[in-house]
Amino acid sequence: MLPWRRTIGAGAFLLAGLGAFSGIFLAPGTAQAQDACSIYTVVRGDTLREIAETAFGDGARFREIYSINRQVIGGSPNRIEIGIELRLPCADGSLPGDRPASATTTAIRPPAPADPQPSEPAPVAPTAPTAPNPAPAAPPLVDDGTLHILTTGTTPPFADARQPGLGLFAELIVRALETGAPGQPFRIQLLPDAATILAASETASALSFPWFRPDCGVANLSSATTAQLCRDYVFSGPIHSLDVAVFVEPGSPLVAAQSPGDFSGARICVPRSYLGPEGRETGLLPRSANLLDGRNMAACTSALSEGTVDAILANRDMIATAGLPLAATLATEAQIVIAALRRDTRAVSALTVLEDAIADLTEGAEWSSIVAAQIAVHRRRVGLGL
């Protein structure tokens, strides 16, 4: 993702580029030796980015250091004072000096799907298991009053561990917490998958994102994870919505499709730059649909014209920008939301505050244009194989 910064409406929400939040502006390159899982004393010339690079080998984790030590650093990560002590997190997510809380969970981790899937992972929406697997061990979250913000960091451009600030929506959530709940300590933590996130949410107050809001009114929910979300979690209003549809050639018999069952056994091409739930989680396709990895829209449309696939699952804007004569059959609006464990009253309360602050920050059309621009950048990166 290219460096950029923009302002959102009256909320004056600044999305940081590559150079933001880097620390005090003294002589660069002078960060002293430090290790993860330790308490580090800031010396002259340090920046949060250099500390993160030295401790973790990843300068992008400066935001994680800031969120952990925000009360010590103050209101801006752009300035860190000489002599303050920073707690650097351990590999298991705990902090030096903390006693990890015991982990209990009822989450079920689904097995990997048998069909080929797009290589660009969609925001947390795993395929349903055919039989339950043992529950994964939840990472220890310390229940010390910190609000844990959990994400995979593998859903660009919304949450991206490779980017400073951890992606577009991670930046939004951080800014919303800083403006809506300035006294609330919080910490963003990257976890490997949906099941681990749900398991961790059982151990301490946590919000998680980005989820696609499931249709909980469906009698037979498509996966154990979806069923667990509907049973145990509450959701924010949509942070952003994506139009998703199944597209066919105008002369295809499938142009008259009325229900997912009409695509039973169909071969569905999914471009790698598609953004949305996994194909069978959209509610548009049956479990029997065969999902095929398409390198890009051109590859999918070529396969469609050659008759090697029957339809394409894509976002409407992908079709609009390509100018292709394709017909949309079944369609839906995939809403990206934040989730909180229903029985966790502290997390649910924080979700309400966060939702109000996000609404203020994203009011007006500019937020949508910012997201659209970043989606376009993401798709160019995918097309270049970056």
Side-chain angles (χ1 to χ4, degrees):
M1 192 178 297
L2 300 176
W4 63 286
R5 61 178 63 180
R6 295 285 299 276
T7 303
I8 296 181
F13 167 45
L14 187 66
L15 291 174
L18 292 178
F21 305 135
S22 57
I24 54 175
F25 297 103
L26 297 173
T30 57
Q32 304 300 305
Q34 64 267 353
D35 298 314
C37 202
S38 66
I39 296 176
Y40 175 69
T41 302
V42 173
V43 299
R44 179 175 296 275
D46 278 346
T47 68
L48 289 185
R49 184 181 295 278
E50 289 172 348
I51 291 171
E53 181 66 38
T54 304
F56 308 113
D58 181 4
R61 294 185 66 179
F62 69 90
R63 170 60 74 179
E64 183 178 350
I65 296 175
Y66 174 61
S67 66
I68 293 168
N69 297 278
R70 195 161 66 106
Q71 289 183 322
V72 176
I73 295 173
S76 172
N78 290 328
R79 185 172 185 82
I80 54 176
E81 300 293 339
I82 297 171
I84 65 172
E85 293 185 338
L86 304 177
R87 293 200 295 173
L88 306 183
C90 308
D92 64 359
S94 63
L95 298 175
D98 286 338
R99 172 181 285 176
S102 60
T104 58
T105 177
T106 58
I108 295 175
R109 178 174 182 169
D115 296 330
Q117 301 297 312
S119 61
E120 279 293 323
V124 189
T127 301
T130 55
N133 278 357
L141 299 181
V142 179
D143 196 6
D144 58 358
T146 298
L147 179 65
H148 299 270
I149 313 294
L150 309 178
T151 184
T152 62
T154 57
T155 58
F158 310 124
D160 189 349
R162 301 170 301 175
Q163 301 302 323
L166 301 180
L168 184 62
F169 288 175
E171 286 276 9
L172 174 64
I173 289 172
V174 167
R175 180 61 66 189
L177 282 169
E178 289 174 345
T179 58
Q184 170 66 59
F186 64 90
R187 179 183 179 199
I188 293 183
Q189 185 167 347
L190 302 179
L191 297 177
D193 53 36
T196 309
I197 286 176
L198 294 182
S201 296
E202 302 274 349
T203 67
S205 288
L207 303 178
S208 56
F209 81 100
W211 295 95
F212 285 102
R213 188 182 190 115
D215 183 357
C216 297
V218 176
N220 296 314
L221 296 172
S222 55
S223 77
T225 298
T226 302
Q228 184 177 357
L229 283 168
C230 288
R231 182 183 66 246
D232 298 335
Y233 286 78
V234 296
F235 306 100
S236 71
I239 305 176
H240 187 67
S241 297
L242 296 164
D243 289 324
V244 177
V246 183
F247 295 89
V248 299
E249 290 189 308
S252 168
L254 290 170
V255 75
Q258 298 292 317
S259 69
D262 293 330
F263 289 95
S264 180
R267 300 160 298 176
I268 312 296
C269 188
V270 186
R272 293 178 187 174
S273 54
Y274 159 77
L275 293 171
E278 191 272 341
R280 301 177 191 86
E281 293 283 339
T282 60
L284 304 178
L285 298 171
R287 300 301 302 169
S288 60
N290 298 311
L291 302 185
L292 305 174
D293 181 6
R295 185 174 67 257
N296 49 38
M297 273 299 298
C300 284
T301 55
S302 294
L304 188 62
S305 63
E306 293 166 1
T308 56
V309 302
D310 303 303
I312 299 172
L313 176 68
N315 304 109
R316 283 189 182 274
D317 67 290
M318 298 172 72
I319 303 298
T321 56
L324 301 170
L326 297 180
T329 56
L330 306 182
T332 190
E333 186 180 71
Q335 296 182 340
I336 302 175
V337 297
I338 306 166
L341 189 65
R342 191 184 305 275
R343 66 173 180 270
D344 184 348
T345 56
R346 192 166 58 183
V348 172
S349 176
L351 182 64
T352 301
V353 172
L354 182 61
E355 187 173 9
D356 290 342
I358 286 177
D360 290 339
L361 293 172
T362 60
E363 183 178 351
E366 191 168 359
W367 165 245
S368 295
S369 66
I370 288 171
V371 176
Q374 287 306 294
I375 287 175
V377 171
H378 164 70
R379 288 191 173 134
R380 285 197 295 272
R381 291 177 61 88
V382 172
L384 294 171
L386 300 177

